[in-house]
Amino acid sequence: MQLHDFKTLADSYTVFFFDAFGVLKNYKGLIDGVVDTFAYLRDRQKPVYILTNDASRSPQQLAESYWRLGLTDITPDMIISSGMLAREYLQLKVDHGTVAYLGTESSAHYIESADLHTISIGELTLENISEVNALVLLDDEGFDWNTDINKAVNLLRRRNIPVIVANTDVTYPVSKNRLAIAIGSIADMLESIVGKQFIRFGKPDAQLFMFAYERVQEVLPGISKRNILMVGDTLRSDIAGGNKFGLDTALVLTGNTAAHEAELRIQATGIIPTYVCESIQL
Amino acid sequence: MQLHDFKTLADSYTVFFFDAFGVLKNYKGLIDGVVDTFAYLRDRQKPVYILTNDASRSPQQLAESYWRLGLTDITPDMIISSGMLAREYLQLKVDHGTVAYLGTESSAHYIESADLHTISIGELTLENISEVNALVLLDDEGFDWNTDINKAVNLLRRRNIPVIVANTDVTYPVSKNRLAIAIGSIADMLESIVGKQFIRFGKPDAQLFMFAYERVQEVLPGISKRNILMVGDTLRSDIAGGNKFGLDTALVLTGNTAAHEAELRIQATGIIPTYVCESIQL
Amino acid sequence: MQLHDFKTLADSYTVFFFDAFGVLKNYKGLIDGVVDTFAYLRDRQKPVYILTNDASRSPQQLAESYWRLGLTDITPDMIISSGMLAREYLQLKVDHGTVAYLGTESSAHYIESADLHTISIGELTLENISEVNALVLLDDEGFDWNTDINKAVNLLRRRNIPVIVANTDVTYPVSKNRLAIAIGSIADMLESIVGKQFIRFGKPDAQLFMFAYERVQEVLPGISKRNILMVGDTLRSDIAGGNKFGLDTALVLTGNTAAHEAELRIQATGIIPTYVCESIQL
Amino acid sequence: MQLHDFKTLADSYTVFFFDAFGVLKNYKGLIDGVVDTFAYLRDRQKPVYILTNDASRSPQQLAESYWRLGLTDITPDMIISSGMLAREYLQLKVDHGTVAYLGTESSAHYIESADLHTISIGELTLENISEVNALVLLDDEGFDWNTDINKAVNLLRRRNIPVIVANTDVTYPVSKNRLAIAIGSIADMLESIVGKQFIRFGKPDAQLFMFAYERVQEVLPGISKRNILMVGDTLRSDIAGGNKFGLDTALVLTGNTAAHEAELRIQATGIIPTYVCESIQL
């Protein structure tokens, strides 16, 4: 497996889509070289977007989290999150009533900003259940798993309503050796139990890429997909999604895919990045 | 859809395998007619076995639970549970070390009687994790879902050990309109997250039927499968399992399959019971 | 279940996306009322697009097929097919070498127009296999199933190349009571055998809707998704895809979903159309 | 990964269950050492059984195929095939009418010996379709894939009958580098298209092991599962099935699992053989 130098790619492409976790940051903080790479791209006026499966916070809050880590180049409009897609869906498709949610209050506040009334699953009662017109799965925290996942099952047996999964990730790393279960796994379990089809937002689905591509075209009208590079650490979301959308893709080895297993996984999955780079360090 | 009279079947077959929940009892207690049917079969010296996906209690405790409901005909040796298969597996295949479990202490005591040392997932530490040689999923109660399911994921990332699912049911009814998530659903989520193949015991798998069939043969050597009737309320476990094992099967409409949907479900699933009866009432 | 009058919808929305089979035509020819509805929408200058999972022919050939049936309003630019997405993918992502295909020569000619060299699986030899840089599944006809599906398996074991599924449908009707297996089912079997992840184009995936939406915006810049109605006969592709893309959706009962089962299927799948109409007849 | 010497195992266990393909023979003929190992076990009066996912021929024909290869120790009663389970099912559960099949005439003759009338899918007509009371999938040869798999789909849409899969293997090797698609893959495609649950016989399912275990007990009454070793080359069928049945298991590296990948696959699947041996050579 040939490793490519990220600097060559930084010079060759016009626009960059980055995954967040495992590319820009990890459980310890920013990944080495990220500040310099962002400065390099900014100096050359190359637009950068962050495409992230995250519905726990608003773009503003996500941008601030990068500032606190020392990456001050990031503005909220550079962030495209699966939560934004969920919010757009709810705005377009749920025009009255209440949206129930599994997640933190903070994640729900962002949904609420779409003029929708939200209620946590924990607050559901026999009285208010008939007003619930959608269920949105936002985050794995902020609720009692045993009680509230069971309440969600029984809500979906009584009310035939759309269920929106605002983050399809199945796990996320919390330390070098430990994973935590993400809301995407809870969504899979719920969907299998109730037998209904949920609506999922997030990579590898095309909609997140489309959202970012539309934003690029406001800045650079008529830009070809050939000039955009998608950079990620995960074959099944970042690389599969970028490839299918027609973009060139670069797999970096600073996150989910370790150097020693990259070649084997590319072979086993048939998900083939255009390039493999150690990291985005120049 | 033609409904059959259970009395005719009680007279036609020699041995009866009954599912428990939805056939003999429900969330309210015994189902109408069960005491009389058991007396009728006992008077005619027709052996009866209860085949149940249950790993929460020992056969002795399960038998006692029927006595408390008023069905005193049941002895522990009539009960064949998925927990017994899990216990046999652990006895044969895990000859030293510790078995970690998700479930109540009561469910673990039964496993412990197989001369195995057990430890709840909640008690796992960095010190004792290396002694764990199997994980057994017993019951949906007795542990903190968020903390302990996450601990199970990380246990299985560190230790390549067999995982035994002692009850494959995905839900169980807790009242007329409410379901609870069973340990089988948690097993499915865990298996999907860690990507390993778990070992499942319970209907429709042949092993539970085989266990019961061996017990029949001790009483009635050489009996043909043609003389055994499997009676259940669930197509995917009771009827599919009985059919595949070569038994005639009777679907009763007192549990998971309601009268108005029975025909549609038989058509949709292709799981075809030999008979459909309203209940086991004579 | 309340039935809506299609005329009211024709008056309420500005742009219409129609599925083809089961909405505009069936195995016998055009569905009643289609010519009048298209005339009505044309007279009111309401743009119409046909979104179809079809990779067997070019938009020009598809348009001509409607002319022959008597629907002369259709121009090639109104047709958005999954084959167009597959063609765009190949143009963007496969810049040299040969594309192998399963399908008819006619389907391959359309791919070839993207300046790519194509070769049918049947023509693959040990000599030319190393030049193959992608496999595209186009149509269920035009090849020997036994020989050529087996050749595809062995091609994918030797060469780690992208596999593009240009039509995800699993079956299609050939008469009132008979279905034929579509290339989507063969794709599913192949993917399961080789264990690699294929790239699928077609409803319910967002990309086909995005392609159509971009075309609408050339004609009606800034149009909101709220003014577009997706009309289809299949919950899992047309309605699920339209809903997720943020469009209002109308299920018609002239194809895959019969009147007597519509309500049950909406309940069972949780895929909820905004409207249900008998047909698109005014 | 520690490699075990098969001779030690041959001395330690009392009864041996062998998979056929990849353990005893491959596409070239007998695997080195097999004749000597069988002689060694025969001299020590250790019973040997061959557990094979094969429904193409009767035990007699299978035994003869070993004689032709030079392994004359094998008698028909040593062979336990998934075809025997399918035959037993049909005998017990289909007591009249016709059994339709996909496979060769030779595979059907064996089913016919159960006093059942068989008809190949190719011979199905509108006249005789109503007499068909089961469909059995026997072999990937002996029929026209395109025509007859499509006929099977339409048969199963008209008639709600049990479908028996007599060999669950998805592929089989035909030369060093080439695989062929087995009837198990065609079964998976059919099942997914018609949405009904098929009845599958073959490893890793417990029923094949139980069939062999019953035969052992006729020779060695009361033998413990602890004294039986299952030997196979495939983790997902041989080893998973043997483990679950409570047997010790030995993975050999002469078939589906190559030496360089054995450790990785055991880790990835969580299917853990008791031993790993290069081959069954002494």
Side-chain angles (χ1 to χ4, degrees), chain A residues 89 91 93 160 195-197 200 205-207 210 226 236 240 243-245 247 266-270 272, chain C residues 89 91 93 160 195-197 200 205 207 210 226 236 240 243-245 247 266-270 272:
Chain A
Y89 174 91
Q91 276 184 305
K93 298 282 295 178
N160 193 30
K196 300 192 175 186
Q197 187 176 304
R200 286 178 163 73
D205 195 75
Q207 236 155 327
M210 180 180 14
R226 291 182 197 275
R236 290 210 175 263
N243 281 345
K244 186 178 169 188
F245 194 67
L247 307 182
I266 292 168
Q267 184 67 37
T269 60
I272 310 163
Chain C
Y89 174 90
Q91 277 184 302
K93 299 282 294 178
N160 193 31
K196 300 193 175 185
Q197 187 175 301
R200 285 178 164 72
D205 195 76
Q207 235 154 326
M210 181 178 13
R226 288 181 198 280
R236 292 210 173 263
N243 281 346
K244 186 179 169 188
F245 193 68
L247 308 182
I266 291 168
Q267 184 67 37
T269 59
I272 310 162

Side-chain angles (χ1 to χ4, degrees), chain C residues 57-69 74 76 79:
Chain C
R57 289 171 289 180
S58 69
Q60 177 68 34
Q61 289 171 307
L62 285 168
E64 287 167 8
S65 75
Y66 287 99
W67 304 344
R68 284 192 294 273
L69 293 175
I74 292 183
I79 295 178

Side-chain angles (χ1 to χ4, degrees), chain C residues 164-238:
Chain C
I164 296 92
V165 185
N167 176 353
T168 51
D169 286 354
V170 293
T171 57
Y172 59 96
V174 287
S175 75
K176 194 176 170 209
N177 292 311
R178 284 197 311 123
L179 293 183
I181 297 172
I183 190 71
S185 286
I186 293 170
D188 292 345
M189 179 171 71
L190 271 174
E191 191 181 40
S192 167
I193 290 171
V194 300
K196 300 193 175 185
Q197 187 175 301
F198 292 2
I199 297 167
R200 285 178 164 72
F201 293 108
K203 292 170 286 177
D205 195 76
Q207 235 154 326
L208 198 72
F209 290 91
M210 181 178 13
F211 213 101
Y213 185 52
E214 283 174 1
R215 202 163 277 182
V216 175
Q217 291 197 302
E218 291 165 15
V219 184
L220 296 171
I223 188 165
S224 163
K225 288 181 179 178
R226 288 181 198 280
N227 298 317
I228 303 174
L229 183 70
M230 172 69 206
V231 184
D233 69 319
T234 309
L235 289 170
R236 292 210 173 263
S237 57
D238 306 318

Side-chain angles (χ1 to χ4, degrees), chain B residues 4-13 16 46 229 250 275 277:
Chain B
H4 284 80
D5 183 38
F6 191 75
K7 181 146 186 314
T8 315
L9 304 183
D11 292 336
S12 307
Y13 289 85
F16 295 83
K46 299 200 169 187
L229 182 70
Y275 314 100
C277 301

Side-chain angles (χ1 to χ4, degrees), chain C residues 133-152:
Chain C
N133 284 336
L135 171 63
V136 55
L137 308 184
L138 294 164
D139 203 0
D140 60 292
E141 296 183 343
F143 59 94
D144 180 290
W145 281 28
N146 187 336
T147 309
D148 291 347
I149 301 175
N150 270 297
K151 280 184 89 168

Side-chain angles (χ1 to χ4, degrees), chain D residues 20-32 34 66 69 173-176 233 253-256:
Chain D
F21 213 95
V23 177
L24 308 182
K25 60 180 177 179
N26 61 23
Y27 57 93
K28 287 185 296 191
L30 288 186
I31 289 175
D32 287 350
V34 166
Y66 286 100
L69 293 175
V174 286
S175 75
K176 195 179 170 207
D233 68 320
L253 306 175
T254 42
N256 276 329

Side-chain angles (χ1 to χ4, degrees), chain A residues 4-271:
Chain A
H4 285 79
D5 182 38
F6 191 75
K7 182 145 187 311
T8 315
L9 303 183
D11 292 335
S12 307
Y13 289 85
T14 311
V15 178
F16 295 83
F17 290 177
F18 289 112
D19 175 42
F21 212 94
V23 177
L24 308 182
K25 60 182 178 177
N26 61 23
Y27 57 93
K28 287 185 298 192
L30 288 187
I31 289 175
D32 287 349
V34 167
V35 172
D36 288 347
T37 298
F38 269 65
Y40 186 88
L41 295 172
R42 186 198 54 218
D43 290 349
R44 279 146 193 82
Q45 291 173 316
K46 299 200 169 190
V48 167
Y49 297 88
I50 300 172
L51 280 68
T52 179
N53 286 357
D54 191 323
S56 67
R57 289 173 290 179
S58 68
Q60 177 68 35
Q61 289 171 308
L62 286 168
E64 287 166 9
S65 75
Y66 286 100
W67 304 344
R68 284 191 295 274
L69 293 174
L71 186 58
T72 51
D73 269 326
I74 291 182
T75 51
D77 62 292
M78 289 163 62
I79 295 178
I80 316 289
S81 76
S82 54
M84 292 162 67
L85 295 179
R87 188 171 177 271
E88 189 204 31
Y89 174 91
L90 293 168
Q91 276 184 305
L92 284 167
K93 298 282 295 178
V94 182
D95 57 4
H96 67 284
T98 295
V99 174
Y101 69 91
L102 279 178
T104 60
E105 270 188 57
S106 158
S107 60
H109 280 160
Y110 176 54
I111 297 293
E112 246 168 9
S113 68
D115 283 330
L116 287 160
H117 182 229
T118 62
I119 184 173
S120 77
I121 284 279
E123 294 170 298
L124 268 188
T125 64
L126 283 176
E127 280 72 43
N128 58 27
I129 194 172
S130 62
E131 296 153 26
V132 175
N133 284 336
L135 170 64
V136 55
L137 307 184
L138 293 165
D139 203 359
D140 61 292
E141 297 185 342
F143 58 93
D144 181 291
W145 280 28
N146 187 334
T147 310
D148 291 347
I149 300 175
N150 271 295
K151 280 184 88 168
V153 168
N154 287 297
L155 166 64
L156 297 179
R157 284 167 45 85
R158 276 165 194 259
R159 306 264 305 127
N160 193 30
I161 53 176
V163 182
I164 297 91
V165 185
N167 176 354
T168 51
D169 286 354
V170 294
T171 56
Y172 58 96
V174 287
S175 74
K176 194 178 169 210
N177 291 310
R178 284 197 311 123
L179 292 183
I181 296 172
I183 190 70
S185 287
I186 293 170
D188 292 344
M189 178 171 71
L190 272 175
E191 192 181 40
S192 167
I193 289 171
V194 300
K196 300 192 175 186
Q197 187 176 304
F198 292 3
I199 297 166
R200 286 178 163 73
F201 292 109
K203 292 169 286 180
D205 195 75
Q207 236 155 327
L208 198 73
F209 291 91
M210 180 180 14
F211 213 100
Y213 185 54
E214 283 173 2
R215 201 163 278 182
V216 175
Q217 292 196 302
E218 292 166 15
V219 185
L220 297 171
I223 187 164
S224 163
K225 288 180 177 178
R226 291 182 197 275
N227 298 317
I228 303 174
L229 182 70
M230 171 71 206
V231 184
D233 69 319
T234 309
L235 289 171
R236 290 210 175 263
S237 56
D238 306 316
I239 306 304
N243 281 345
K244 186 178 169 188
F245 194 67
L247 307 182
D248 282 352
T249 51
L251 178 74
V252 292
L253 306 174
T254 43
N256 275 329
T257 312
H260 72 275
E261 60 183 0
E263 189 157 14
L264 190 75
R265 284 211 197 171
I266 292 168
Q267 184 67 37
T269 60
I271 303 170

